[in-house]
């Protein structure tokens, strides 16, 4: 690596790259909703809306999965950035703020990638060229048939498609920060003394992890490649210190339980990725390949940056191409790491060309030059439609005309804060981006800690193996068990993006249809559903159902919920962290509260705490004292583990900032002497 650059020498290439990308994706900066209905962006907008009003990281999120700790709704970084922007830009719609922020991160992606080239080479023109190539070209379209087919009609770089068509704003944001984290970590590992650079590296590493869990795994892989590249005990220890400090900064959210939950659920989210022996062999092949490549570097003159790029390109190529070409999965959802593969592949090719021109002469230099020209021609050929039609591809949608919006508006007008709706597909993903309506399911399945909701959801929508004629009745029992008062159904002819219900007519004659935005969609009401019911202890579900057809344990429970002779309990959400239950509490009965159980809940009756237990569906069971007209107040204050981890992160941050300040002061004193 060359000597240190002049201060500000990279500013004009950075500005040029940012403005070039901003010009290409200009419509994103003013978009309220992207035109692709299948995008999950509505769920992310909903999280940002929620955190803009309720920023407590130790709070409760009542709108998904029967309620969940805010920690388990997603990694928080981008959502808190958007929440802050929504507070500062109150005149804009939440969707407009979200798209403006994610568009900034997308444009920064080319800038940070180019900065990584500049950091290691100190050559601005090569950095600018690499950034331009990254802005326009998607090599995965050459290598992966599925990517090539998916790009028909939307001929744009794959990472832009990931952002716009699938709504993966957090992934793209973490990808934009990844090169900065690499540069900071490299510098920290190779410094001789000082804490400030280590702290900066830790902050950037923590930021990548806190923004996106896919990005967190990618960062872990990059870190391993960097450790192999360093191959120095002192540098490795410094890098490990920065990584350890980063985890302490992020542990308030990325707690051990959070990691365990994500790792367990990853086996079944988005496909069948159960851990098995084939995965071990594939991981072993990746490890062997990395070690072989690292040992092979010893036969050549030292080129640590080139070696680092080779290792990363090999790993992410091995990960993604083995999935697309051979349908072998080394980890869950390997196809989602194509943007990382493209990043390092382009960086590698640019570095090979740079070294080829610098170290070659005569005919070899001409060959390298011709290869560069050929690559540039192919890249321009691939990107010419993107250059001409990018604004047309990114034209904002008129979401108020969507059926999704009509459904969301009706639910907002007719569903109280104390009711819950069973809603899937694009209408469910979009709902909370517009309105605060509680859903029986939600949109971060990797964070689910009570798998019953996923089993019941699958059965309600698919009717898989249900006895003929009983499909609707079984689904109604499951809806009652989930506390869902409304269910949204659509036919295969609906304009909604996903058609989740195999038998959409199974509720006809069983439930009243209360709204039909078009003949292809319907909202049914499940009569008598409340969040709290009086039941006897023996009427609670006897065990956890093994799947959605295992309704035997629910028979007495559902019968108790349907019993019209029992007194009614009234529930009221006072805040997202406080819930009130009022009504008579007879002797010998408990209150079944269909809100997810978590250790941070406390229930108060009068001045005394009452016991809370978890039933076999994952909901709360309250044991109130007998009272003719009682009031239970439930408060959520965060789970003990997360609060403990929060103190660790806070103390780490305070101590680190103090260390940086003291280091600067001591340095100033030394310079005076």
């Amino acid at each position: 690596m060359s000597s240190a650059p002049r201060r500000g020498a990279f500013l004009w290439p950075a500005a040029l790259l940012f403005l070039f990308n901003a010009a290409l994706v200009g419509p994103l900066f003013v978009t309220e909703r992207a035109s692709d209905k299948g995008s999950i962006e509505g769920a992310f907008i909903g999280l940002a809306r929620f955190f803009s009003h309720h920023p407590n990281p130790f709070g409760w999120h009542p709108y998904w999965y029967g309620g969940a700790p805010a920690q388990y709704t997603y990694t928080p970084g981008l959502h808190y950035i958007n929440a802050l922007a929504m507070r500062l830009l109150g005149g804009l719609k939440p969707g407009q703020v979200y798209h403006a922020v994610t568009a900034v991160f997308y444009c920064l992606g080319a800038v940070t990638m180019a900065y990584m080239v500049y950091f290691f080479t100190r050559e601005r023109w090569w950095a600018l060229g690499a950034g331009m190539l990254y802005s326009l070209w998607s090599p995965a379209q050459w290598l992966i048939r599925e990517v090539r087919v998916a790009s028909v009609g939307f001929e744009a770089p794959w990472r832009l498609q990931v952002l716009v068509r699938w709504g993966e704003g957090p992934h793209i944001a973490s990808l934009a920060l990844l090169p900065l984290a690499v540069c900071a970590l490299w510098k920290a590992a190779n410094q001789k003394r000082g804490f400030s650079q280590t702290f900066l590296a830790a902050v950037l590493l923590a930021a990548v992890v806190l923004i996106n869990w896919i990005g967190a795994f990618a960062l872990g892989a990059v870190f391993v490649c960097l450790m192999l590249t360093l191959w120095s005990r002192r540098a490795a220890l410094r890098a490990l210190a920065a990584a350890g400090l980063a985890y302490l900064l992020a542990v308030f959210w990325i707690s051990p339980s959070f990691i365990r939950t994500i790792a367990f659920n990853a086996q079944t989210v988005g496909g069948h990725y159960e851990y098995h022996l084939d995965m071990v062999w594939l991981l072993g092949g990746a490890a062997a390949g990395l070690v072989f490549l690292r040992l092979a570097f010893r036969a050549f003159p030292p080129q640590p940056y080139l070696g680092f790029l080779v290792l990363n390109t090999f790993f992410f190529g091995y990960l993604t191409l083995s999935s697309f070409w051979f349908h072998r999965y080394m980890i869950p959802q390997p196809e989602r790491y194509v943007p990382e593969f493209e990043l390092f592949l382009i960086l590698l090719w640019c570095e090979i060309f740079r070294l080829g021109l610098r170290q070659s002469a005569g005919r070899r230099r001409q060959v390298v030059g011709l290869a560069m020209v050929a690559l540039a021609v192919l890249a321009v050929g691939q990107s010419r439609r993107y250059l001409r039609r990018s604004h047309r591809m990114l034209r904002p949608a008129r979401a108020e005309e969507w059926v999704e919006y009509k459904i969301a508006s009706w639910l907002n007008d007719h569903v109280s804060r104390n009711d819950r709706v069973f809603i899937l597909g694009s209408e469910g993903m979009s709902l909370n981006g517009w309105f605060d309506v509680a859903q029986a399911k939600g949109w971060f399945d990797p964070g689910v800690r009570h798998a019953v909701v996923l089993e019941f959801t699958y059965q309600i929508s698919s009717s898989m193996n249900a006895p003929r004629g009983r499909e609707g009745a079984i689904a109604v029992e499951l809806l009652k068990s989930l506390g869902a008062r409304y269910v949204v159904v659509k036919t295969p002819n609906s304009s909604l993006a996903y058609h989740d219900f195999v038998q959409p007519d199974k509720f006809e004659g069983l439930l009243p249809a209360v709204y039909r935005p078009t003949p292809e969609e319907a909202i049914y009401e499940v009569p008598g559903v409340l969040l709290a019911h009086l039941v006897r202890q023996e009427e609670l579900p006897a065990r956890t159902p093994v799947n959605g057809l295992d309704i035997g344990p629910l028979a007495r429970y559902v019968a108790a919920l349907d019993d019209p002779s029992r007194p009614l309990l009234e529930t009221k959400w006072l805040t997202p962290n406080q819930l009130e239950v009022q009504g008579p509490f007879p002797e010998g009965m408990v209150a079944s509260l269909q809100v997810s159980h978590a250790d941070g809940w406390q229930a108060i009756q009068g001045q005394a705490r009452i016991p809370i237990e978890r039933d076999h569906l994952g909901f709360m069971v309250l044991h109130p004292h007998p009272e003719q007209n009682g009031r239970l107040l439930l408060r959520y204050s965060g789970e003990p583990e997360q609060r403990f981890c929060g103190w660790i992160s806070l103390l780490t941050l305070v101590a680190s900032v103090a260390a940086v300040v003291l280091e600067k002061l001591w340095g100033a004193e030394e310079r005076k002497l």
Side-chain angles (χ1 to χ4, degrees):
M1 199 166 65
S2 306
S3 59
R6 292 183 293 106
R7 187 181 299 273
F10 184 69
L11 287 180
W12 72 262
L16 182 60
L17 284 169
F18 185 90
L19 293 174
F20 177 70
N21 279 272
L24 288 174
V25 301
L28 280 184
F29 287 92
V30 295
T31 293
E32 199 271 324
R33 284 296 171 94
S35 58
D36 199 305
K37 293 183 177 183
S39 166
I40 198 174
E41 66 180 24
F44 295 147
I45 296 170
L47 286 176
R49 286 184 63 247
F50 177 81
F51 288 127
S52 70
H53 298 292
H54 311 287
N56 181 9
F58 309 107
W60 188 257
H61 184 272
Y63 300 122
W64 290 355
Y65 303 110
Q71 176 190 13
Y72 287 88
T73 57
Y74 207 83
T75 45
L78 182 64
H79 308 310
Y80 273 88
I81 294 172
N82 278 309
L84 177 60
M86 288 175 188
R87 295 297 295 268
L88 297 175
L89 305 171
L92 298 179
K93 294 180 180 179
Q96 291 174 316
V97 175
Y98 171 85
H99 283 100
V101 171
T102 53
V104 168
F105 273 108
Y106 176 81
C107 296
L108 285 175
V111 176
T112 60
M113 181 267 204
Y115 176 76
M116 184 169 162
V117 175
Y118 180 65
F119 176 83
F120 283 101
T121 68
R122 306 307 188 200
E123 297 189 27
R124 286 178 294 180
W125 288 105
W126 276 104
L128 179 62
M132 285 293 184
L133 191 62
Y134 188 55
S135 301
L136 296 172
W137 183 47
S138 184
Q141 293 185 28
W142 292 357
L143 300 171
I144 302 172
R145 182 182 63 84
E146 290 85 348
V147 172
R148 187 164 56 252
V149 171
S151 299
V152 174
F154 197 99
E155 296 83 356
W158 186 247
R159 65 189 180 97
L160 182 60
Q161 297 192 49
V162 169
L163 173 62
V164 175
R165 301 178 68 180
W166 288 277
E168 291 287 347
H171 188 181
I172 297 306
S174 71
L175 185 66
L177 293 183
L178 181 61
L180 296 181
V182 168
C183 295
L185 185 59
W186 188 282
K187 190 172 181 179
N190 290 284
Q191 69 181 355
K192 294 181 179 180
R193 54 178 297 186
F195 178 75
S196 298
Q197 186 60 43
T198 300
F199 178 60
L200 175 61
V203 169
L204 287 169
L205 293 172
V208 173
V209 171
L210 288 170
I211 284 179
N212 182 242
W213 65 282
I214 294 289
F217 177 85
L219 178 63
V222 170
F223 181 80
V224 171
C225 294
L226 184 139
M227 293 289 286
L228 287 171
T229 305
L230 294 172
W231 212 264
S232 159
R233 181 179 178 184
R234 175 173 292 183
L237 289 176
R238 289 186 179 276
L240 285 171
L245 183 61
Y247 181 67
L248 293 179
L249 292 171
V251 74
F252 76 96
W253 200 283
I254 314 298
S255 63
S257 292
F258 182 87
I259 296 172
R260 184 169 60 249
T261 300
I262 297 296
F264 178 80
N265 289 335
Q267 300 177 80
T268 54
V269 172
H272 296 286
Y273 302 105
E274 290 81 2
Y275 303 129
H276 49 72
L277 189 59
D278 283 353
M279 281 189 173
V280 176
W281 284 110
L282 284 169
L283 282 168
L290 290 173
V291 173
F292 172 79
L293 288 171
R294 179 59 185 90
L295 293 175
F297 296 159
R298 294 186 172 185
F300 301 95
Q303 291 287 350
Y305 174 51
L306 177 64
F308 175 68
L309 296 180
V310 168
L311 292 176
N312 280 284
T313 304
F314 165 77
F315 178 81
F316 288 108
Y318 182 94
L319 172 66
T320 55
L321 297 180
S322 62
S323 168
F324 283 108
W325 290 358
F326 308 111
H327 305 292
R328 294 291 183 267
Y329 309 112
M330 187 171 73
I331 61 169
Q333 303 186 66
E335 65 281 353
R336 296 183 68 178
Y337 296 89
V338 170
E340 283 79 6
F341 173 46
E342 288 194 325
L343 170 67
F344 286 104
L345 182 60
I346 293 174
L347 285 169
L348 176 61
W349 280 349
C350 289
E351 180 63 5
I352 290 174
F353 287 144
R354 188 185 73 87
L355 293 176
L357 288 179
R358 168 170 291 189
Q359 299 178 4
S360 301
R363 182 165 295 181
R364 290 178 60 184
R365 187 182 180 89
Q366 293 176 357
V367 170
V368 173
L370 288 174
M372 288 179 57
V373 171
L375 180 62
V377 169
L378 291 172
V380 171
Q382 186 192 87
S383 60
R384 67 185 186 279
R385 297 190 70 183
Y386 172 54
L387 288 167
R388 293 200 311 265
R389 301 177 53 197
S390 63
H391 283 214
R392 188 181 304 176
M393 295 176 187
L394 300 172
R395 184 179 299 162
R398 301 178 66 176
E400 66 276 3
E401 299 177 359
W402 289 358
V403 175
E404 286 87 346
Y405 186 79
K406 295 178 182 178
I407 291 173
S409 296
W410 189 93
L411 292 172
N412 182 59
D413 293 338
H414 295 84
V415 177
S416 78
R417 289 187 62 198
N418 307 307
D419 292 326
R420 192 175 292 154
V421 58
F422 184 91
I423 183 170
L424 303 175
S426 57
E427 63 274 28
M429 288 189 288
S430 298
L431 176 59
N432 294 131
W434 289 310
F435 305 111
D436 294 334
V437 178
Q439 304 187 39
K441 191 181 172 292
W443 301 103
F444 186 53
D445 289 358
V448 171
R449 297 189 296 173
H450 309 301
V452 166
V453 66
L454 301 182
E455 295 286 352
F456 284 11
T457 295
Y458 180 75
Q459 186 60 43
I460 292 168
S461 61
S462 72
S463 297
M464 178 71 71
N465 297 324
R468 183 178 295 274
R470 287 272 297 155
E471 298 91 347
I474 291 174
V476 170
E477 288 193 35
L478 300 180
L479 289 168
K480 291 178 178 179
S481 300
L482 292 175
R485 185 170 180 178
Y486 298 91
V487 54
V488 180
V489 179
K490 62 270 190 174
T491 74
N493 297 322
S494 171
S495 64
L496 298 173
Y498 303 103
H499 305 119
D500 312 275
F501 279 85
V502 175
Q503 294 179 286
D505 59 346
K506 62 189 169 191
F507 296 115
E508 291 293 336
L510 289 175
L511 301 176
V514 293
Y515 178 62
R516 294 184 186 273
T518 79
E520 309 303 331
E521 303 87 23
I523 299 178
Y524 296 93
E525 183 177 6
V526 185
V529 171
L530 301 170
L531 288 187
H533 296 268
L534 289 170
V535 301
R536 296 180 178 85
Q537 187 74 34
E538 62 271 16
E539 293 172 335
L540 292 167
R543 57 177 173 79
T544 301
V546 296
N547 55 48
L549 280 178
D550 185 18
I551 60 174
L554 306 177
R556 297 188 66 185
Y557 179 61
V558 173
L561 302 185
D562 289 338
D563 186 353
S565 67
R566 303 195 184 197
L568 299 180
L569 297 179
E570 180 183 352
T571 59
K572 182 180 180 181
W573 286 98
L574 306 177
T575 71
N577 302 317
Q578 291 189 344
L579 176 64
E580 182 183 73
V581 181
Q582 286 187 312
F585 299 109
E587 182 80 34
M589 284 193 164
V590 298
S592 171
L593 180 61
Q594 292 174 322
V595 173
S596 297
H597 179 274
D599 290 339
W601 281 107
Q602 294 182 356
I604 308 294
Q605 183 179 12
Q607 301 298 320
R609 290 178 58 177
I610 62 172
I612 302 176
E613 66 177 357
R614 179 185 182 276
D615 70 12
H616 287 292
L617 300 182
F619 294 134
M620 287 190 278
V621 179
L622 311 176
H623 293 263
H625 307 300
E627 192 173 358
Q628 182 63 34
N629 187 18
R631 175 179 180 270
L632 308 181
L633 179 63
L634 285 87
R635 295 192 184 97
Y636 182 76
S637 57
E639 296 194 322
E641 181 197 54
Q642 192 195 9
R643 296 188 70 83
F644 175 75
C645 291
W647 280 109
I648 292 176
S649 291
L650 179 61
L651 293 174
T652 301
L653 178 61
V654 171
S656 297
V657 171
V660 170
V661 171
L662 289 175
E663 182 179 88
K664 296 297 182 183
L665 292 175
W666 290 337
E669 290 296 326
E670 288 180 359
R671 285 193 295 272
K672 289 180 180 179
L673 296 176

